[in-house]
Amino acid sequence: MNDRLKAQYSARLRRVCDHIERHLDAPLSLESLSQMAYCSPFHFHRQFTAWCGMPLYRYIQWLRLRRASWRLAFNPQDKVIDIALDAGFQNPESFTRAFKMAFGQSPRQFRQQPDWRAWHQRMPMMNIKGQKNMDVTLVDFPRTPVALLQHRCNPELVNYSAAKFILWRKETGLSPVAQSATFGIAWDDPQTTPPEAFRFDICGSVNAPVPENAHGVINGEIPAGRCAVVRHHGSLDTVGESVWSLFRDWLPGSGETPRDFPVFFQYHNFVNEVAEHELQTDIYLPLQ
């Protein structure tokens, strides 16, 4: 197969994956998806498995279980039966069996004490598309006092810290999500930093100093200064691609010099609230 045909072939399957990611709540039949790829159901099923590394039905189920896990962990008000039905299962029993087989915990066990390390180890590499086009703008970012929780361990465990910060927010009301901005400060690259040395700060803007507390949330600030900012659309699994594109493709021709402060993110919505393709995250590169 020549390069042109390979590109066409990959583009068709990528279009199918995009459709699946955007319609996880809808029926997704082999027949309808194969039509999108201009292929017979029989050949499409084999082509998708070869291209993706897993059968179509397993790919869809993994994406649905992936979304269900975030709702279980961060949306305690959502009933398990509703999460099961939204994930395409006929009843909670079949959902429980599939979830436990996938992650090693039942949905209720995961809700009470999620094992994020096992979650990452068991989750297959999903063929989620990164962002190609980026519209970079320059802004003057204002000095922003924040409540800050330091994550200082394996990046696969960052959801533990996120849950702790969410609990602090709910218990104190000092950084309500509806009125406060949510940030993440990326001191290290998870791809090149040993897990035990990884550093990441989870932050929420505040209007008053944070008192001492049992959660380990402290006072901090994001300093004022010029920044290049680009909006990343979609899964946070691919946000690193957008960060590197900012450094690799934009920075060399911009005439700008990075400032001595790490890249940081502003999260405009969260994966337990919206579908992954609807996530919007601003990436800030501090400049001199």
Side-chain angles (χ1 to χ4, degrees), residues 123-198:
M123 178 67 67
M125 293 294 293
M126 305 304 294
N127 198 1
I128 297 173
K129 183 178 66 174
Q131 183 169 316
K132 290 185 177 180
N133 300 318
M134 298 199 306
D135 184 14
V136 180
T137 58
L138 300 180
V139 300
D140 289 316
F141 188 86
R143 173 184 173 275
T144 304
V146 295
L148 182 151
L149 181 65
Q150 297 176 323
H151 178 84
R152 297 294 184 269
C153 64
N154 196 316
E156 293 182 353
L157 305 182
V158 72
N159 279 332
Y160 287 119
S161 297
K164 184 184 294 187
F165 188 74
I166 291 169
L167 182 60
W168 173 84
R169 270 182 150 173
K170 290 181 177 178
E171 287 186 355
T172 66
L174 296 177
S175 180
V177 177
Q179 289 84 31
S180 300
T182 302
F183 300 97
I185 303 176
W187 294 94
D188 298 300
D189 176 7
Q191 300 300 319
T192 59
T193 305
E196 67 277 6
F198 179 73

Side-chain angles (χ1 to χ4, degrees), residues 53-287:
M54 70 178 75
L56 176 67
Y57 79 94
R58 288 293 291 160
Y59 180 81
I60 295 171
Q61 186 180 74
W62 269 113
L63 283 176
R64 286 172 169 167
L65 290 174
R66 176 184 171 96
R67 183 180 63 176
S69 64
W70 287 315
R71 291 181 63 187
L72 287 166
F74 298 113
N75 291 10
Q77 74 281 1
D78 290 357
K79 297 179 180 179
V80 173
I81 187 172
D82 293 332
I83 296 175
L85 294 175
D86 289 345
F89 291 87
Q90 297 291 330
N91 52 64
E93 290 75 23
S94 59
F95 172 64
T96 296
R97 286 194 299 271
F99 193 93
K100 189 168 185 177
M101 183 176 293
F103 300 118
Q105 291 181 289
S106 71
R108 295 192 185 279
Q109 290 171 333
F110 189 85
R111 165 161 278 175
Q112 293 169 1
Q113 193 170 3
D115 185 347
W116 287 113
R117 188 188 297 272
W119 187 93
H120 280 281
Q121 291 173 347
R122 289 170 174 261
M123 178 67 67
M125 293 294 293
M126 305 304 294
N127 198 1
I128 297 173
K129 183 178 66 174
Q131 183 169 316
K132 290 185 177 180
N133 300 318
M134 298 199 306
D135 184 14
V136 180
T137 58
L138 300 180
V139 300
D140 289 316
F141 188 86
R143 173 184 173 275
T144 304
V146 295
L148 182 151
L149 181 65
Q150 297 176 323
H151 178 84
R152 297 294 184 269
C153 64
N154 196 316
E156 293 182 353
L157 305 182
V158 72
N159 279 332
Y160 287 119
S161 297
K164 184 184 294 187
F165 188 74
I166 291 169
L167 182 60
W168 173 84
R169 270 182 150 173
K170 290 181 177 178
E171 287 186 355
T172 66
L174 296 177
S175 180
V177 177
Q179 289 84 31
S180 300
T182 302
F183 300 97
I185 303 176
W187 294 94
D188 298 300
D189 176 7
Q191 300 300 319
T192 59
T193 305
E196 67 277 6
F198 179 73
R199 301 170 298 164
F200 188 83
D201 294 339
I202 301 170
C203 311
S205 60
V206 291
N207 295 319
V210 176
E212 291 188 12
N213 58 87
H215 299 284
V217 177
I218 60 176
N219 289 289
E221 75 168 38
I222 300 176
R226 294 175 64 250
C227 293
V229 60
V230 63
R231 178 154 297 184
H232 174 83
H233 299 273
S235 173
L236 294 179
D237 283 358
T238 60
V239 73
E241 297 176 20
S242 293
V243 173
W244 282 117
S245 181
L246 193 58
F247 276 96
R248 182 188 64 238
D249 303 328
W250 177 81
L251 186 61
S254 69
E256 300 287 351
T257 303
R259 182 164 27 109
D260 188 19
F261 191 78
V263 166
F264 61 96
F265 309 105
Q266 181 176 357
Y267 307 102
H268 293 283
N269 49 20
F270 304 97
V271 75
N272 60 305
E273 300 172 343
V274 300
E276 277 194 274
H277 71 272
E278 296 177 337
L279 289 173
Q280 297 187 27
T281 307
D282 284 343
I283 303 168
Y284 286 87
L285 171 59
L287 303 172

